[in-house]
């Protein structure tokens, strides 16, 4: 068991995730803006759940519905160095609740980027 501290983890944005978040409706941004800091402090928003296909609770998603549709923020808490926001997007698929393959592929690719960045942070490398 990892001891919890009062120190929050930094939030790291992978790829275009921050820009993508900023393009979402204001109410959705506020909702995600509440859920992500909870993750930074080691807590979890009640709407957060493990994203299927990643073998556990290391990759989470928060889903919010708005008049314009359904929106998701995907992040990982599996690294001690930071909470990495992997993807923010509007779910456009009309076939069930499954996350579209292109979005899942993007999350997988960005998770690898986050892993490399976590290693840099662990080793004290601050250059990007």
């Amino acid at each position: 068991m990892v001891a919890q501290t009062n120190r929050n983890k930094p939030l790291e944005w992978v790829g275009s995730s921050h820009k993508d978040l900023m393009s979402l409706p204001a109410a959705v941004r506020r909702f995600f803006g509440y859920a992500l800091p909870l993750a930074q402090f080691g807590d979890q928003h009640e709407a957060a759940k493990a994203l299927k296909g990643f073998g556990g609770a290391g990759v989470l998603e928060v889903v919010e519905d708005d008049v314009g549709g359904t929106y998701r923020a995907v992040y990982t808490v599996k690294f001690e160095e930071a909470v990495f926001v992997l993807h923010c997007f509007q779910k456009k698929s009309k076939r069930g609740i499954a996350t579209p393959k292109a979005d899942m592929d993007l999350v997988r690719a960005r998770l690898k980027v986050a892993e490399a960045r976590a290693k840099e942070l662990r080793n004290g490398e601050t250059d990007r």
Side-chain angles (χ1 to χ4, degrees):
M1 182 173 145
V2 177
Q4 288 293 330
T5 67
N6 288 331
R7 183 182 83 78
N8 66 326
K9 292 180 182 182
L11 200 59
E12 292 269 332
W13 302 90
V14 181
S16 63
S17 60
H18 186 260
K19 179 180 147 232
D20 297 338
L21 173 72
M22 298 312 291
S23 72
L24 301 180
V28 175
R29 288 195 314 266
R30 279 191 297 276
F31 183 82
F32 292 159
Y34 176 70
L36 292 171
L38 287 175
Q40 287 181 268
F41 279 99
D43 204 353
Q44 183 174 310
H45 191 280
E46 62 186 23
K49 62 181 183 178
L51 183 61
K52 292 181 182 177
F54 290 91
V59 177
L60 300 142
E61 71 173 341
V62 180
V63 180
E64 176 66 347
D65 291 320
D66 187 65
V67 293
T70 299
Y71 300 86
R72 296 181 180 195
V74 179
Y75 62 96
T76 184
V77 294
K78 75 185 269 185
F79 305 109
E80 289 294 319
E81 293 74 21
V83 172
F84 291 90
V85 182
L86 304 173
H87 194 21
C88 296
F89 63 104
Q90 180 179 6
K91 183 184 173 295
K92 295 180 180 169
S93 172
K94 302 297 181 199
R95 288 182 265 138
I97 61 170
T99 304
K101 182 182 183 318
D103 290 305
M104 292 296 283
D105 291 345
L106 184 61
V107 169
R108 280 188 186 86
R110 288 183 176 175
L111 184 59
K112 290 178 184 176
V113 171
E115 186 172 15
R117 179 68 182 137
K119 185 177 180 184
E120 289 174 358
L121 291 170
R122 195 174 311 126
N123 294 331
E125 299 169 22
T126 57
D127 291 345
R128 287 190 172 222

